[in-house]
């Protein structure tokens, strides 16, 4: 009996030991497999997941920034891009014209080589002529470019702000307030913005850079840079080609000019009435129809009509020419 009891206990001990060994082996194998699975598969998937989240977050932020952009700014960007495109077309056209000019001069140079000369001196001159003609061609191209950049009026402007001219606000119509023209801070429009009247006294003529007043009738009083006897005036506007909207109906049409005696508070002297033709040259000069009896310091510009715009009239630049007085 005692021997049988010991045998049973020994058998149960071995079963317990084997069970523990099997359990530990299984747990150890599972733990190693888990570590390997964690080190190989999850980190790669985690990195890919983080990269995808970062990419889509960046795209979402970009789209949100675009949607937050005010509609007025988008319209302004479209207009500016259209203006740049028009300027590029003009530059390309000018380059083509220069190319044609160079080709014409080159043909003239080549044709000049066909003449025969009898004297040695003439032959030497003929040998040097290609270089001379190249220099002449280059000078001619520079001369054409210089003429294109020069002011077309070629008369002194006594209504130029940088020379000392100014606008007298008391004798000037109120500016047109455009609710679409605003100053923005972080995408929030907080202040209406309009060009001041003295914009018309400056040579920077670009689409949109003009002084606007409500309706088709208005006036402005200009204090000239010095006393002159007025002889002519010049009105300038942009053309339909460079206008972002392709429309310049806000350009002035009929206008009159008056001289103001004394210190800009005397009587008005009628100097002439004119029509600015929007289909002709953008810069138009008009000789005054009546001569002032004395030198004047102030000139009044009165706009009588525009080319059909119902809301406002836009003036880009106005110049006054004449003979300066000795008693300035």
């Amino acid at each position: 009996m005692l021997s049988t009891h010991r045998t049973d206990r020994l058998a149960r001990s071995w079963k317990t030991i084997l069970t523990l060994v099997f359990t530990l082996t299984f747990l150890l194998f599972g733990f190693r497999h888990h570590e390997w699975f964690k080190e190989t598969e999850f980190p790669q998937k985690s990195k890919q997941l983080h990269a995808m989240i970062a990419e889509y977050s960046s795209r979402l932020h970009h789209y949100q920034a675009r949607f937050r952009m005010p509609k007025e700014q988008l319209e302004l960007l479209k207009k500016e891009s259209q203006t740049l495109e028009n300027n590029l077309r003009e530059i390309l056209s000018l380059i083509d014209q220069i190319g044609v000019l160079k080709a014409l001069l080159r043909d003239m140079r080549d044709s000049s080589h066909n003449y025969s000369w009898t004297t040695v001196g003439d032959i030497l001159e003929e040998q040097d002529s290609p270089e001379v003609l190249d220099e002449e061609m280059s000078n001619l191209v520079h001369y054409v470019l210089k003429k294109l950049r020069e002011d077309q009026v070629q008369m002194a402007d006594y209504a130029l702000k940088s020379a000392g001219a100014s606008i007298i606000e008391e004798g000037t119509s109120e500016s047109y307030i455009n609710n679409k023209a605003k100053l923005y801070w972080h995408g929030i429009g907080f202040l209406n913005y309009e060009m001041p009247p003295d914009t018309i006294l400056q040579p920077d003529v670009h689409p949109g850079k003009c002084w606007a007043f409500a309706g088709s009738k208005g006036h402005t009083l200009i204090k000239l840079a010095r006393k002159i006897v007025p002889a002519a005036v010049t009105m300038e506007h942009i053309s339909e080609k460079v206008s972002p909207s392709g429309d310049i109906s806000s350009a002035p049409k009929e206008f009159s000019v008056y001289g103001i005696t004394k210190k800009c508070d005397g009587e008005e002297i009628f100097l002439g009435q004119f029509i600015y033709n929007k289909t002709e040259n953008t810069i138009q000069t008009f000789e005054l129809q009546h001569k002032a009896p004395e030198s004047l310091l102030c000139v009044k510009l009165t706009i009588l009509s525009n080319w059909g715009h119902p809301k406002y009239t836009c003036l880009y630049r106005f110049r006054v020419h004449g003979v300066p007085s000795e008693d300035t």
Side-chain angles (χ1 to χ4, degrees):
M1 291 292 292
L2 183 60
S3 176
T4 304
H5 181 70
R6 288 181 178 177
T7 302
D8 293 337
R9 287 184 62 185
L10 184 61
R12 285 196 299 268
S13 299
W14 277 106
K15 289 181 180 180
T16 303
I17 292 171
L18 290 175
T19 302
L20 290 174
V21 170
F22 179 77
T23 302
L24 290 174
T25 304
F26 179 78
L27 290 175
L28 181 61
F29 178 77
F31 177 75
R32 289 183 177 179
H33 186 270
H34 173 73
E35 289 295 327
W36 174 83
F37 185 75
K38 182 179 178 182
E39 290 177 359
T40 56
E41 186 174 1
F42 274 18
Q44 293 179 0
K45 289 187 176 182
S46 178
K47 290 180 181 179
Q48 294 177 358
L49 184 60
H50 282 294
M52 291 176 64
I53 292 174
E55 181 181 357
Y56 282 110
S57 297
S58 177
R59 291 183 181 180
L60 180 61
H61 178 74
H62 176 68
Y63 290 140
Q64 288 176 344
R66 289 185 60 185
F67 284 125
R68 283 198 300 265
M69 181 177 291
K71 184 178 179 181
E72 291 78 7
Q73 286 189 350
L74 290 175
E75 293 295 331
L76 181 60
L77 288 175
K78 290 181 181 178
K79 290 182 179 180
E80 289 180 351
S81 63
Q82 184 66 35
T83 302
L84 290 175
E85 184 179 352
N86 293 333
N87 292 340
L88 179 60
R89 290 175 181 173
E90 291 186 358
I91 292 173
L92 293 176
S93 176
L94 182 60
I95 292 175
D96 292 339
Q97 293 177 14
I98 293 175
V100 172
L101 179 61
K102 284 185 177 181
L104 179 61
L105 292 174
R106 193 178 297 110
D107 292 341
M108 293 174 60
R109 181 191 66 184
D110 294 339
S111 63
S112 66
H113 294 167
N114 297 329
Y115 292 102
S116 59
W117 307 94
T118 55
T119 64
V120 176
D122 291 337
I123 293 176
L124 292 176
E125 288 181 3
E126 182 185 0
Q127 292 176 352
D128 294 336
S129 61
E131 290 78 10
V132 174
L133 286 174
D134 281 339
E135 183 178 357
E136 291 179 353
M137 181 173 66
S138 178
N139 292 335
L140 181 57
V141 169
H142 287 299
Y143 173 78
V144 172
L145 291 175
K146 181 180 178 182
K147 285 296 182 183
L148 289 173
R149 296 191 191 102
E150 278 184 356
D151 184 76
Q152 301 178 18
V153 178
Q154 292 295 304
M155 287 189 291
D157 178 18
Y158 295 97
L160 187 64
K161 181 180 178 180
S162 60
S166 60
I167 296 290
I168 299 178
E169 297 287 345
E170 293 79 7
T172 300
S173 300
E174 293 185 2
S175 299
Y176 175 75
I177 298 178
N178 186 359
N179 293 326
K180 293 184 179 180
K182 291 179 178 290
L183 293 177
Y184 286 86
W185 183 77
H186 291 284
I188 301 175
F190 66 95
L191 183 64
N192 288 331
Y193 177 75
E194 60 273 345
M195 291 292 176
D198 61 5
T199 302
I200 68 174
L201 308 182
Q202 303 177 55
D204 188 9
V205 177
H206 289 93
K209 194 164 186 180
C210 60
W211 171 58
F213 57 85
S216 60
K217 296 182 179 180
H219 57 272
T220 181
L221 185 58
I222 304 170
K223 183 179 180 181
L224 303 176
R226 61 180 299 178
K227 276 189 173 184
I228 64 168
V229 177
V233 294
T234 297
M235 184 73 75
E236 182 175 358
H237 200 84
I238 62 171
S239 67
E240 292 181 345
K241 294 181 180 179
V242 301
S243 174
S245 63
D247 177 39
I248 56 171
S249 60
S250 63
K253 185 177 181 181
E254 296 176 290
F255 67 95
S256 57
V257 180
Y258 298 84
I260 311 298
T261 60
K262 298 182 180 179
K263 294 184 179 181
C264 303
D265 57 358
E267 64 175 337
E268 297 181 356
I269 302 174
F270 179 71
L271 300 178
Q273 182 171 328
F274 314 96
I275 295 178
Y276 178 85
N277 193 337
K278 69 171 185 174
T279 61
E280 294 183 358
N281 195 356
T282 57
I283 302 176
Q284 300 176 25
T285 300
F286 307 89
E287 292 186 5
L288 296 180
Q289 299 163 351
H290 303 279
K291 184 177 180 180
E294 58 182 280
S295 59
L296 304 171
L297 185 60
C298 289
V299 168
K300 181 180 180 181
L301 169 64
T302 301
I303 305 299
L304 304 174
S305 64
N306 64 20
W307 283 93
H309 200 287
K311 293 184 178 180
Y312 59 84
T313 302
C314 211
L315 302 183
Y316 275 87
R317 189 180 180 189
F318 181 72
R319 314 184 207 185
V320 180
H321 316 290
V323 180
S325 173
E326 295 182 357
D327 54 333
T328 53

